[in-house]
Amino acid sequence: MSTSSYFRSRTTRPRGKDHTQAHAHALDRTPLTPSDTDPSYAPSEDSEGTGTGAGAGAEVVGFVDPFPDFLWMTTEEPHRSRRMAILRAHPEVRKLMGPTPLTFPIVLLVLSTQLILAYWLRSTHPLSPLFLLTAYTLGGTLNQNTFLAIHEITHNLAFRSIRANKLLAIVANFAIGVPYAMAFKGYHIEHHKFLGEDGIDTDLPSRIEAIVLNNVAGKTFFATFQLLFYALRPGFIRSQKPTIWHGINFLAVLSFDAVLVHFLGWNALVYLLISSFFAGSLHPCAAHFIAEHYLMSEVQDGTPQALAQETTSYYGWLNLLCYNVYPSLIPQVGYHNEHHDFPSIPWTRLPELRRIASEFYEPLPAHKSWPYVTYKFITDPNVGMWSRAKRTSRGEKLDERVWVDMARGGGGEEISEAESSDVGKGMEEAVQRGYASD
């Protein structure tokens, strides 16, 4: 079966309001359009349709919509099938799975450093240049480290025990000042399992967000207050049922805040809160929130890269601050394709995964600069809140040969059924730890 038979993903979303063309590709089915899933969607009057039928690849000329839609996918997310292809080609990557002992001491080091800085600034006015500069440069970087540590611990990669990981996540949460670690765990695991699924993956912006923030001012507001959106959006889209761990998290962090204020004063807590704000705002490291899943790379329709574009890695030097390169002070977030492919591999071993399976990762789009990602997101009219891939369900399964063909430059070999049992075990191991909650 040829690789091209798996590309059924593109629909009628132009990449920006200045575009006058949109492409629809199909082979034996009508492509999914926004109006199929959102009755409120109404394309502009000069839209001429998308072209359907076997082998349709018709160009739509003159489609100008002031509200471009998301990229609606009919295929599943790309990571399951690529994981399978990598496990078949490189079964040795199974040895990389499991917790790393380095996360625990780094969490304690970062938390201790933040408390020392909070003590140092306890008598400094929160609006003074010294306070704000320290909170941005040091506090913002350290609390971004903490956000990513909690992300790493969410995948149970600090200890073997799930309970120990949860307790460490709560301890790490002390540096943030607001209890969120246990709520994040539930939403983030769903983000992995149901990547891009509308109504489940709360990392996706809603349609109202995309309409209201579809301009430079709106995108600047979003980039500045990203944490506010990530905190409030789940309540409107998919609320969680509280568990005992949510309560423990809530009481532990608020108790820590009370003790901090009692001994060091309110300025110490304000320092942690402002550091958290800067960590998720216009900070160089905060750009990873946008870089990971917004569609910003130029890809050719009908290629594996087009199927893979909803997740993008970054391999630049800022990874030294973000659990991305060993030895590092923050968890592996830049290697994001690698992380989604193998959520049970810790941050210290993701570079090794990329080295072993380089033929699967080097052809994929990657960011060269996190600060440039933020700049482009805000200023480029062809990039914005609409630049996300969505799907209405799990989607049609992708065959692993899509990635085998890409890795070998076309002409992928037939898959040996004799290897299926080992690959099946590897597939289970690859997500078992990373997705476990209890």
Side-chain angles (χ1 to χ4, degrees), residues 127-311:
L127 296 182
S128 68
L130 176 62
F131 193 102
L132 293 175
L133 184 62
T134 303
Y136 181 84
T137 57
L138 297 178
T141 303
L142 290 169
N143 271 11
Q144 181 59 240
N145 178 295
T146 299
F147 285 139
L148 298 173
I150 292 172
H151 165 266
E152 184 76 4
I153 299 164
T154 287
H155 291 289
N156 305 304
L157 294 173
F159 303 112
R160 294 193 178 278
S161 165
I162 295 176
R163 179 175 296 181
N165 279 289
K166 288 182 176 180
L167 290 173
L168 180 59
I170 292 173
V171 171
N173 197 167
F174 291 161
I176 304 301
V178 177
Y180 88 98
M182 292 300 102
F184 172 78
K185 183 177 179 69
Y187 287 119
H188 187 68
I189 297 306
E190 286 189 338
H191 164 67
H192 272 261
K193 289 182 175 180
F194 306 100
L195 180 64
E197 290 193 40
D198 199 29
I200 301 180
D201 183 359
T202 56
D203 188 70
L204 294 165
S206 64
R207 183 171 176 78
I208 187 65
E209 289 175 66
I211 292 175
V212 173
L213 303 176
N214 192 39
N215 51 63
V216 171
K219 291 187 287 183
T220 302
F221 181 84
F222 173 78
T224 304
F225 298 98
Q226 290 182 78
L227 292 184
L228 182 64
F229 286 86
Y230 286 115
L232 298 179
R233 184 188 296 145
F236 291 96
I237 296 178
R238 186 177 174 84
S239 60
Q240 289 184 357
K241 182 180 180 180
T243 68
I244 186 65
W245 282 102
H246 287 77
I248 294 172
N249 188 186
F250 186 82
L251 290 175
V253 173
L254 292 188
S255 298
F256 177 85
D257 291 347
V259 171
L260 186 69
V261 170
H262 177 76
F263 287 102
L264 299 184
W266 282 100
N267 283 1
L269 178 58
V270 170
Y271 166 74
L272 295 182
L273 294 174
I274 293 180
S275 295
S276 298
F277 168 75
F278 283 143
S281 185
L282 296 174
H283 189 282
C285 292
H288 80 84
F289 289 118
I290 296 172
E292 290 165 358
H293 295 293
Y294 278 80
L295 309 179
M296 304 183 72
S297 301
E298 293 296 327
V299 295
Q300 183 179 354
D301 290 341
T303 64
Q305 287 81 356
L307 291 175
Q309 64 180 312
E310 62 188 288
T311 304

Side-chain angles (χ1 to χ4, degrees), residues 55-94:
E59 248 184 24
V60 182
V61 180
F63 183 89
V64 180
D65 193 336
F67 299 120
D69 210 333
F70 300 101
L71 175 61
W72 290 94
M73 309 289 286
T74 62
T75 52
E76 67 171 343
E77 50 84 12
H79 302 288
R80 184 203 63 84
S81 54
R82 188 164 62 232
R83 181 185 310 132
M84 183 178 292
I86 292 173
L87 283 168
R88 195 177 299 281
H90 301 287
E92 65 271 25
V93 301
R94 294 172 61 183

Side-chain angles (χ1 to χ4, degrees), residues 35 82 112 223 248 291 312 352 356:
S35 57
R82 188 164 62 232
S112 300
I248 294 172
T312 308
E352 179 65 8
I356 292 173

Side-chain angles (χ1 to χ4, degrees), residues 401 404-405 408 411-415:
R401 282 170 288 193
V404 173
D405 286 356
R408 297 174 179 171
E413 299 175 0
E414 288 298 317
I415 297 171

